[in-house]
Amino acid sequence: MATQRLKSIVMAIMVLGLLFPRLAAAQAAWPAYSNEAFGYRISYPPDWEFKPPNDKDVFFVTSRLDGGGDRFRENINCKPLRLQIKGFNIRSAEAQIIAGVATMPDFKLISTAYVRWNGVEALRLEYTLSNTTNGEKYDIHIQQQMSVIGDVLYAITFTSEEGSYARYLPMATRIVNSMKVN
């Protein structure tokens, strides 16, 4: 029994050893967007579409439509904001942030957590809501991560149709974690 278990562990290590270099190489081939004004770089999968910056979003990528009945493109955006308040920290703003998103239709807070991201503390929110676009109602699932680095508040948001959230979350997590702030 112990020998069989040891063989299984060795096999798993070998498979992971073969898999991790391929994953790293695949991510290395991802296109990247750099923003000098806010001092960050973020990578995204080559089959996602990059949208040029505008006054609402500094970084915005969307998934492709999956065909058939898919009518929503999962997306990730980053909205940095230069702060005018000295000593601002994300914990002191948590209640205001939640109150701001809680005004959205059918808002339901799923979880809040503090995580390390780019060497600092970040607030991660997960919530659902509904949104109507062009007369069509969507049930939306969002994971949003916010942190203050220097004098900038970085808010990076993954938005998905409710039924696709679990499938896209691993890719969204890789994109979010690819973001490096100088």
Side-chain angles (χ1 to χ4, degrees), residues 19 27 29 34 50 56 59 63 77 83 85 87 98-99 108 139 157 167 179:
L19 185 60
Q27 186 153 351
S34 295
F50 175 75
K56 285 178 65 179
F59 172 80
S63 69
N77 69 65
L83 300 169
I85 304 167
I98 293 172
K108 180 182 175 199
D139 292 321
T157 306
R167 183 165 44 103
M179 184 173 173

Side-chain angles (χ1 to χ4, degrees), residues 34-155:
S34 295
N35 184 292
E36 291 182 25
F38 288 101
Y40 72 89
R41 174 182 167 91
I42 188 167
S43 300
Y44 55 93
D47 60 338
W48 284 47
E49 183 181 344
F50 175 75
K51 306 280 186 170
N54 60 43
D55 30 332
K56 285 178 65 179
D57 302 299
V58 174
F59 172 80
F60 191 86
V61 291
T62 62
S63 69
R64 65 185 185 287
L65 292 174
D66 291 332
D70 190 11
R71 30 179 251 266
F72 186 88
R73 293 174 63 150
E74 280 62 31
N75 63 79
I76 294 182
N77 69 65
C78 179
K79 297 179 181 186
L81 173 66
R82 200 156 308 277
L83 300 169
Q84 304 301 317
I85 304 167
K86 298 295 180 207
F88 182 86
N89 72 60
I90 201 68
R91 282 191 184 261
S92 65
E94 179 180 352
Q96 286 178 295
I97 292 168
I98 293 172
V101 294
T103 62
M104 298 178 176
D106 303 319
F107 173 82
K108 180 182 175 199
L109 181 64
I110 295 171
S111 67
T112 63
Y114 283 93
V115 298
R116 296 294 292 174
W117 180 71
N118 274 287
V120 299
E121 185 173 61
L123 171 62
R124 181 179 294 155
L125 302 176
E126 182 180 348
Y127 55 94
T128 59
L129 53 90
S130 64
N131 184 32
T132 302
T133 303
N134 298 326
E136 195 160 353
K137 184 179 176 187
Y138 294 93
D139 292 321
I140 304 295
H141 198 141
I142 293 174
Q143 185 178 93
Q144 194 166 42
Q145 192 162 293
M146 292 155 274
S147 65
V148 176
I149 301 174
D151 67 342
V152 178
L153 170 67
Y154 294 90

Side-chain angles (χ1 to χ4, degrees), residues 10-25:
V10 169
M11 182 61 89
I13 291 170
M14 288 173 48
V15 167
L16 289 175
L18 294 171
L19 185 60
F20 280 142
R22 289 184 184 150
L23 288 174

Side-chain angles (χ1 to χ4, degrees), residues 1-12:
M1 179 81 166
T3 304
Q4 182 62 30
R5 183 177 163 108
L6 183 58
K7 284 181 183 178
S8 296
I9 291 171
V10 169
M11 182 61 89

